[in-house]
């Protein structure tokens, strides 16, 4: 290859002939911003962010598709280019849900709300799981985009969450095409591609099929290469940006794919390819299932010992001692040890050594990866197994199980040891090609959980057996080499699971993986599943859903038949709802009610498991429980001029208050706040009950730019005397508004929505401080004087269950409740 | 009585005592002297014919014994478990003068459980319907008792319950390991068989008020809304994350089943070390629940063991399971970290001084003895005030300065005509059985009121349970 020389920004650059200008710049360490370009992909030229100026060439060619030529003079940072790039970026942002980027209160918002809200559809950065890893956001910050003079186009495409493992929200997509291109590169023919044209262009499958039907291999490359939050890993998405990404190999099948392990607090939450090439691809098991085996809710986290007829939790030393005691004097061929091949060679060697030398038995078995259980020979009385690997435990006197997942066999065990495995262990693994891979333990299990080989060393130590004082697998390997142990490769699976999801590995340690990771059942035929899916029993209830629409993205309007509540409820009150018998009791403000028809209407956001359950209900469903009306209503009387301001779900909540205040003879000004124009709703309903409706958006795409506080300031500036204000919305917004209202001496009532449990004053979970005095929001509230609230404490208390809430989110694919277009157009 | 091994049970939510076997029950029943003037019956707030049911057990008629219990007691399987028999029936037992009293509570539980196991429910022949409608507000022990007694008299009874589940404190407060929830639901189903209508998710006062119920066709109302307003310590740092009322701590687990998270959606409280403040039965329930959830569990109580209001058996069980007691210790302040989460509880050592108004020796702090207990969860368990919902929404009902309803102690009629009350809303926080005893009195009064329009004092004053232990 010959080299060429040219200049970029006055610097002389040498590069290989055939490189693009972008590649040459990157090699020379000169930064040119990119979005659609990716080192693993062919030049594409879709986003136009990498434009440069080249002397002698007309216009501004994209550097990613322009081949470098000798003697070229390239400029990347002229004011004109930077300006153009900003315009390009704005165009991209106008097709993305980006109002947070141009919001006046962004810095404050991110300080008070460091974690995104667990929404369904992504409506803005604050509801985006990819917020901290978004390329577009980084560019917007780098280019200091403060204003968008273009409207944001929100297409309101349905959220696609029917497939296993992944959520897709193409409303956030910037059409860079990376996903479709990587799919084609890795699999030859792309499952996803551009569909439709012009402004309707989007990414999708042929004929709009689910990915499972469209022969997707679920390698996850599209998720990992997506620069935005359009494509997300359902299990990992809300954990936020990973802390580390070391590499190791997958141990599930003999192929032993190399993978990059995304760690959050030491937990393996996702695995990705080490490179975006066909050779480096992963199957769905490595990409999605392994993290869920390790960190899903069913992982064994405690050791157990049998006392009398029950198993009790025990510390590792106690459990190891218990195992050693039970194995003492059991040496001989009545002992058997059964392990599996989905681990490192050192572990298998050590377990065999334990069987032969400590237990003086020749009965050592390795179960295959096909789920076939081992049948023990006659005469076995004592069993040690490292999984659910043996058929027929009857007749055994002592059973010790070391495992990572629960099994029925553990009910009969004397000791259950919680073990580490997969990416949590180090050692040597001989893959099917015969290559010996040296693995490092990259994921970190809980403190008391160690690999099987270490458990056996500890047991042997308790039994005073010599030769088990290993501290590392390296030491074990040294002994193996000394003894001339062979590292035998496994058998290459054929056909390969990498090419066809029908041939994915199904078993790990004798557990059918689809029993542990439910979403896998969409790929494995369900009739092979040993566990019947449990159907939830929902008692018959009168709380029937009469109407249900997604009024704007991620915001749901639900009308429920609840005559006893409708008859008595007053503006400002709330209800406690449980969608099914296993739900939380969640408070929702009553947005409207119809006494004649016995209905109440709720406007809710999807922000976690319970609000998601409510969002997924459809007309004709019934909620299990609705209790109310709860809380104190607002005091309706003639104040003079009353401002009713709402944001998010609060827009619904201010409607009955505005109506009542108007009926009481007040001059009512309603303020509706939204991040952007596409999140505004009910303007017609609000207009009908107030004297003036003011719209304010964070991006200025409709009405004023800013928030409710900016509108209040404007009202005061124009000479309005506001006698009373009611503000409902998220805690952050209410805090900002209250702080200003206090300065302006506007009496302000805010409706607080802290964590509640019973909602009737019984538990005190919802306590808030008002100038040092503790109140219960459920019975004393929900309305309080906004000037007096201890906002810092309230915001802090709202984060009580932040980590736990992620675990509660279901992993199975679901269909969004049907919303037909005629309903959508009703407003 | 055989019990689950403490080492085992400290990790599960299964019931602690296994209950009598048939053999043990027969042996114990034989010890009863069948006194002519049985003291035990006087000791019972609901006047169970104790010698009568024990005799049936002795004769091997276990089901008949259970039916005998049901005549006076709507919830025998419940009271057999949670009654403080040692200060009630069993304290009056002649056998107790010289040795162990007859184990009436355990026999009661045995007979009731036997009938449940056999599915032998005896629904008595109901008298002709009186056409009178009675509203019962709250489905705790007193409300259930009133409902049972009035239904058996032929009245039409509706229970209004604010929660999604019937049973009140029996469901949200008392943990599964002390009172299995299926037992409670079985007893409540018996009421349904008697024709009692139960409306859950109905918040009387917020939906219809008491007045509206009375105007809307109900002839009388019984208020049994209990004591459900938690009392906090009133010390700094109490609103930090990790400080929960005992009500919240217990409700999350018992009613919402957070220990089965994520199958059940309510978030569990995961702690390394839980400090429960208080010495009553609820404190024991919280501390033992904490132990079962895998935390180190400490009780901080400002007086000494002798002054602890909890039942001796509960304290014993808690200690057996590994709950640590820090006696003569009073909390001063909850300490938090920069994220607003609890990291410790500062306490001071106390000594006992002169007796106070309650007759118990008053604890006084020892200056300079402050120390910090490292913990991530603090559960104040200091009791509850009465639920304010009904008094707030029923203007003409009189309350004491503690928020309890003022009633005629003999008839339990409130200051409002046609409205009766019982249980913790009248007595302040007390026991299940005292609430049930009050239920029986109120039921008698309500029956008289709806049939004659008057309420008279009973001829022989019924003894109400007066001890303040729960």
């Amino acid at each position: 290859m010959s080299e060429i020389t040219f200049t970029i920004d006055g610097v002389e650059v040498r590069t290989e002939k055939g490189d693009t200008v972008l590649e040459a710049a990157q090699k020379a360490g000169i930064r040119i911003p990119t979005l659609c370009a990716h080192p693993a992909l062919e030049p594409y030229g879709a986003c136009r962010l990498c434009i440069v100026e080249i002397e002698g060439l007309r216009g501004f060619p994209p550097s990613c598709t322009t081949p470098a030529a000798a003697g070229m003079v390239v400029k990347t940072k002229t004011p004109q280019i930077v300006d153009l790039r900003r315009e390009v970026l704005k165009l991209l942002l106008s097709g993305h849900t980006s109002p947070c980027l141009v919001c006046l209160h962004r810095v404050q918002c991110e300080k008070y709300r460091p974690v995104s809200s667990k929404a369904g559809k992504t409506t803005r950065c604050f509801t985006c799981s990819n917020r901290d890893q978004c390329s577009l956001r980084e560019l917007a910050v780098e280019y200091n985009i403060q204003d968008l003079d273009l409207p944001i186009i929100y297409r309101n495409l349905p959220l696609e969450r029917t497939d296993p493992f992944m959520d897709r929200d193409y409303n956030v997509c910037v059409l860079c095409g990376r996903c479709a291109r990587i799919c084609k590169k890795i699999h030859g023919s792309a499952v996803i591609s551009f569909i439709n044209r012009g402004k309707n262009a989007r990414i999708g499958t042929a004929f709009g099929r689910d990915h499972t039907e469209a022969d997707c291999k679920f390698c996850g490359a599209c998720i990992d290469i997506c620069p935005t939050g359009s494509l997300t890993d359902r299990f990992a998405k809300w954990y936020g940006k990973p802390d580390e990404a070391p590499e190791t190999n997958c141990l599930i099948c003999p192929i032993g794919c190399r993978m990059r392990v995304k760690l959050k607090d030491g937990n393996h939450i996702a695995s990705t390819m080490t490179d975006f090439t066909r050779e480096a691809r992963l199957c769905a098991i490595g990409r999605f299932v392994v993290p869920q085996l390790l960190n899903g809710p069913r992982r064994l986290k405690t050791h157990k010992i049998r006392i009398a007829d029950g198993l009790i939790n025990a510390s590792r030393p106690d459990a190891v001692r218990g195992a050693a005691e039970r194995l003492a004097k059991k040496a001989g061929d009545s002992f058997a040890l059964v392990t599996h091949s989905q681990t490192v060679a050192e572990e298998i060697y050590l377990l065999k050594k334990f069987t032969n030398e400590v237990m003086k038995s020749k009965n050592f078995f390795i179960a295959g990866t096909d789920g076939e259980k081992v049948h023990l020979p006659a005469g076995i009385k004592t069993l040690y197994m490292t999984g659910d690997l043996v058929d027929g435990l009857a007749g055994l006197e002592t059973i010790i199980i070391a495992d990572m997942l629960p099994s029925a066999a553990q009910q009969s065990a004397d000791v259950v040891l919680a073990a580490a495995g997969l990416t949590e262990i180090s050692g040597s693994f001989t893959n099917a090609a015969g290559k010996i891979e040296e693995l490092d333990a990259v994921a970190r299990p809980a403190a008391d959980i160690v690999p099987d080989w270490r458990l056996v060393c500890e047991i042997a130590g308790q039994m005073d057996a010599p030769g088990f004082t290993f501290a590392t697998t390296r030491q074990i390997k040294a002994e193996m080499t000394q003894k001339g142990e062979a590292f035998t490769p496994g058998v290459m699976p054929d056909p390969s699971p990498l090419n066809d999801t029908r041939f994915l590995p199904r078993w790990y340690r004798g557990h059918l993986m689809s029993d542990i990771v439910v979403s896998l059942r969409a790929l494995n035929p369900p009739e092979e599943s040993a566990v019947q899916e449990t159907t939830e029993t929902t008692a018959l209830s009168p709380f029937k859903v009469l109407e249900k629409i997604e009024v704007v993205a991620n915001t749901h309007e639900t009308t429920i038949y609840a005559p006893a509540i409708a008859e008595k409820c007053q503006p400002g009150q709330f209800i406690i709802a449980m969608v099914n018998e296993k739900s939380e009791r969640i408070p929702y403000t009553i947005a409207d009610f119809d006494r004649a028809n016995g209905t109440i209407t709720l406007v809710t956001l999807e922000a976690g498991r319970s609000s998601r359950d409510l969002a997924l209900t459809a007309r004709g469903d019934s909620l299990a429980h609705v209790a109310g009306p709860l809380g104190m209503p607002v005091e309706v009387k003639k104040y003079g001029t009353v401002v009713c301001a709402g944001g998010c779900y609060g827009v619904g909540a201010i409607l009955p208050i505005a109506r009542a205040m108007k009926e009481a003879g007040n001059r009512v000004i309603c303020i509706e706040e939204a991040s952007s124009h596409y999140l505004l709703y009910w303007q017609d309903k609000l207009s009908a009950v107030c004297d003036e409706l003011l719209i304010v958006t964070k991006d200025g795409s409709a009405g004023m730019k800013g928030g409710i506080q900016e509108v209040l300031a404007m009202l005061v500036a124009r000479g309005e005397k506001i006698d009373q204000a009611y503000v409902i919305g998220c805690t952050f917004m209410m805090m900002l508004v209250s702080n200003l209202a206090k300065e302006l001496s506007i009496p302000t009532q805010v409706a607080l929505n802290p964590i509640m449990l019973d909602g009737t004053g019984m538990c005190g979970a919802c306590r808030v401080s008002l100038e040092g005095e503790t109140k219960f929001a459920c019975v004393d509230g929900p309305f309080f004087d906004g000037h007096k609230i201890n906002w810092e404490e309230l915001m802090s208390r709202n984060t009580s269950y932040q980590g736990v809430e992620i675990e509660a989110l279901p992993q199975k694919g679901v269909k969004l409740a049907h919303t037909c277009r005629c309903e959508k157009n009703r407003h | 009585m055989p019990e689950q091994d403490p080492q085992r049970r400290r990790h599960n939510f299964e019931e602690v005592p296994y209950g009598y076997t048939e053999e043990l029950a027969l042996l114990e029943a034989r010890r009863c002297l069948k006194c002519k003037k049985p003291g035990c019956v006087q000791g019972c707030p609901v006047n169970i014919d104790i010698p009568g049911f024990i005799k049936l057990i002795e004769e091997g008629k276990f089901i008949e014994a259970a039916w005998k219990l049901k005549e006076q007691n709507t919830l025998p399987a419940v009271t057999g478990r949670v009654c403080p028999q040692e200060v009630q029936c069993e304290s009056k037992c002649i056998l107790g003068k010289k040795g162990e009293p007859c184990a009436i509570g355990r026999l009661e539980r045995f007979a009731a459980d036997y009938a449940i196991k056999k599915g032998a429910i005896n629904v008595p022949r109901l008298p002709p319907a009186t056409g009178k409608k009675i509203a019962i507000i709250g489905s705790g022990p007193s409300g259930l008792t009133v409902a049972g007694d009035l239904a058996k008299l032929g009245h039409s009874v509706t229970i209004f319950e604010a929660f999604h589940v019937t049973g009140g404190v029996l469901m949200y407060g008392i943990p599964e390991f002390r009172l299995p929830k299926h037992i409670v639901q079985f007893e409540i189903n018996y009421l349904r068989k008697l024709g009692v209508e139960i409306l859950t998710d109905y918040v009387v006062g917020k939906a219809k008020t008491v007045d509206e119920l009375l105007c809307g066709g109900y002839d009388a109302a019984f208020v049994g809304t209990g004591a459900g307003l938690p009392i906090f310590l009133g010390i700094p740092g109490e609103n930090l994350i990790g400080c929960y009322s005992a009500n919240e701590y217990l409700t999350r687990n018992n009613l919402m089943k957070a220990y089965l998270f994520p199958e059940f959606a309510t978030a569990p409280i995961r702690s390394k070390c839980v400090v429960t403040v208080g010495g009553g039965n609820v404190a024991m329930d919280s501390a033992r629940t904490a132990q079962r959830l895998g935390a180190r569990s400490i009780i901080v109580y400002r007086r000494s063991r002798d002054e602890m209001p909890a039942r001796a058996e509960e304290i014993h069980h808690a200690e057996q399971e590994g709950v640590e007691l820090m006696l003569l210790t009073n909390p001063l302040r909850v300490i938090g970290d920069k994220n607003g989460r609890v990291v410790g509880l500062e306490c001071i050592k106390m000594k006992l001084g002169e007796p106070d108004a309650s007759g118990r020796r008053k604890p006084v702090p020892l200056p300079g003895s402050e120390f910090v207990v490292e913990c991530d969860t603090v559960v104040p368990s200091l009791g509850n005030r009465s639920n304010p919902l009904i008094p707030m929404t029923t203007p003409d009902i009189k309350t004491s300065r503690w928020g309890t309803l003022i009633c005629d102690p003999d008839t339990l009629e409130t200051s409002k005509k046609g409205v009766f009350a019982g249980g913790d809303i009248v007595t302040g926080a007390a026991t299940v059985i005292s609430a049930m005893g009050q239920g029986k009195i109120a039921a008698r009064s309500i029956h008289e009121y709806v049939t004659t329009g008057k309420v008279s004092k009973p001829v022989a004053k019924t003894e109400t349970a007066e001890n303040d232990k729960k």
Side-chain angles (χ1 to χ4, degrees), chain B residues 110-312:
Chain B
F110 165 77
D113 283 2
Y114 189 88
I116 289 176
K117 205 155 62 192
K118 298 282 170 190
I121 312 157
N122 179 33
V123 182
R125 189 189 298 268
L126 296 174
T130 59
K132 299 295 179 188
K133 285 176 73 183
I134 293 124
I136 313 272
I137 301 153
S139 69
S142 69
L144 293 175
T145 304
V146 179
D149 284 11
L150 291 176
K152 284 185 210 159
L153 291 166
H155 302 302
S156 160
V157 179
T158 306
I159 297 180
F160 296 89
E161 167 57 47
F163 271 170
H164 57 286
V165 173
T166 324
V169 72
L170 306 175
M171 291 304 289
Y172 74 75
I174 303 177
E176 178 82 17
F177 56 84
R178 228 153 56 78
L179 179 62
K181 302 304 157 215
H182 71 270
I183 298 267
V184 180
Q185 291 309 316
F186 188 92
E187 301 276 42
I188 290 167
N189 271 334
Y190 172 78
L191 291 181
R192 290 201 176 90
K193 291 207 165 68
L194 289 176
V196 173
E197 182 190 17
I198 300 177
L199 298 179
T200 52
D201 305 310
Y202 201 107
V203 191
V204 174
K206 291 289 183 182
K208 280 201 168 62
T209 61
V210 174
D211 285 306
E212 285 165 322
L213 290 174
L214 291 176
C215 296
Y218 287 94
D219 299 284
F222 172 81
V223 181
T225 49
L229 200 69
I231 300 171
F232 284 88
L233 293 157
I235 59 174
E238 237 178 342
N239 289 347
L240 291 165
I241 301 171
C243 192
Y244 306 92
S245 71
N247 273 1
E248 177 174 3
Y249 197 74
L250 291 169
T251 302
R252 274 185 188 273
N253 269 292
N254 301 337
L255 187 73
M256 306 311 292
K257 302 214 184 311
Y259 66 94
L260 296 175
F261 178 87
E263 185 194 350
F264 283 75
T266 300
I269 296 167
R270 289 181 183 152
S271 320
K272 290 199 170 67
C273 179
V274 179
V275 176
T276 307
V277 183
N281 284 322
V282 176
M284 299 304 138
D285 285 347
S286 302
R288 293 172 71 193
T289 299
Q291 183 78 47
R292 279 162 173 77
L293 292 172
R296 179 177 172 210
S297 181
I298 301 171
I299 286 180
V300 162
Y301 180 57
R302 62 191 182 133
R303 302 185 204 238
S304 75
R305 178 190 288 262
D306 292 342
E307 286 82 20
M308 276 188 144
R311 286 178 72 187

Side-chain angles (χ1 to χ4, degrees), chain A residues 297 307 309-313 543 564 567-568 573 578 581-585 609-610 624-632 755 757-758 760-765 767 769 774 776 793 796-797 799-801 804 807-808, chain B residues 5 7-9 11 18 162-164 172 200-203 206-209 212 228-230 232 238-241 243-245 247-248 251-252 255-256 261-270 339-341 387 392:
Chain A
I307 287 187
D309 56 347
L311 286 167
I312 69 155
N313 293 359
F543 307 113
E567 187 189 337
K568 292 305 290 283
Q573 288 188 301
M578 291 174 74
E581 297 294 338
K582 292 177 180 176
S583 298
E584 295 166 89
R585 291 173 65 92
R609 166 154 160 192
S610 295
H625 300 283
V626 181
L630 298 169
M632 305 300 287
I755 295 170
L757 184 59
D758 67 282
T760 59
M762 253 197 45
C763 78
R767 50 197 198 278
S769 298
T774 297
F776 289 6
E793 178 188 286
S796 157
R797 285 186 65 81
T799 65
S800 296
Y801 297 101
V804 183
E807 283 174 53
Chain B
D5 182 278
Q7 287 309 312
R8 173 175 182 238
R9 71 177 193 241
H11 297 291
Y18 288 127
F163 271 170
H164 57 286
Y172 74 75
T200 52
D201 305 310
Y202 201 107
V203 191
K206 291 289 183 182
K208 280 201 168 62
T209 61
E212 285 165 322
L229 200 69
F232 284 88
E238 237 178 342
N239 289 347
L240 291 165
I241 301 171
C243 192
Y244 306 92
S245 71
N247 273 1
E248 177 174 3
T251 302
R252 274 185 188 273
L255 187 73
M256 306 311 292
F261 178 87
E263 185 194 350
F264 283 75
T266 300
I269 296 167
R270 289 181 183 152
N339 298 319
R341 288 178 190 258
N387 194 306
M392 265 163 60

Side-chain angles (χ1 to χ4, degrees), chain A residues 138-152:
Chain A
E138 283 162 13
L139 286 169
V141 174
E142 183 185 334
Y143 279 81
N144 195 23
I145 308 278
Q146 303 258 348
D147 247 315
L148 265 187
D149 28 27
L150 299 159
I152 294 174

Side-chain angles (χ1 to χ4, degrees), chain A residues 662-678:
Chain A
K662 178 83 183 148
E663 282 165 8
N666 293 290
R667 192 170 106 78
V668 177
I669 301 172
C670 280
I671 308 173
E672 176 170 359
E673 177 192 287
S675 285
S676 187
H677 65 96
Y678 56 87

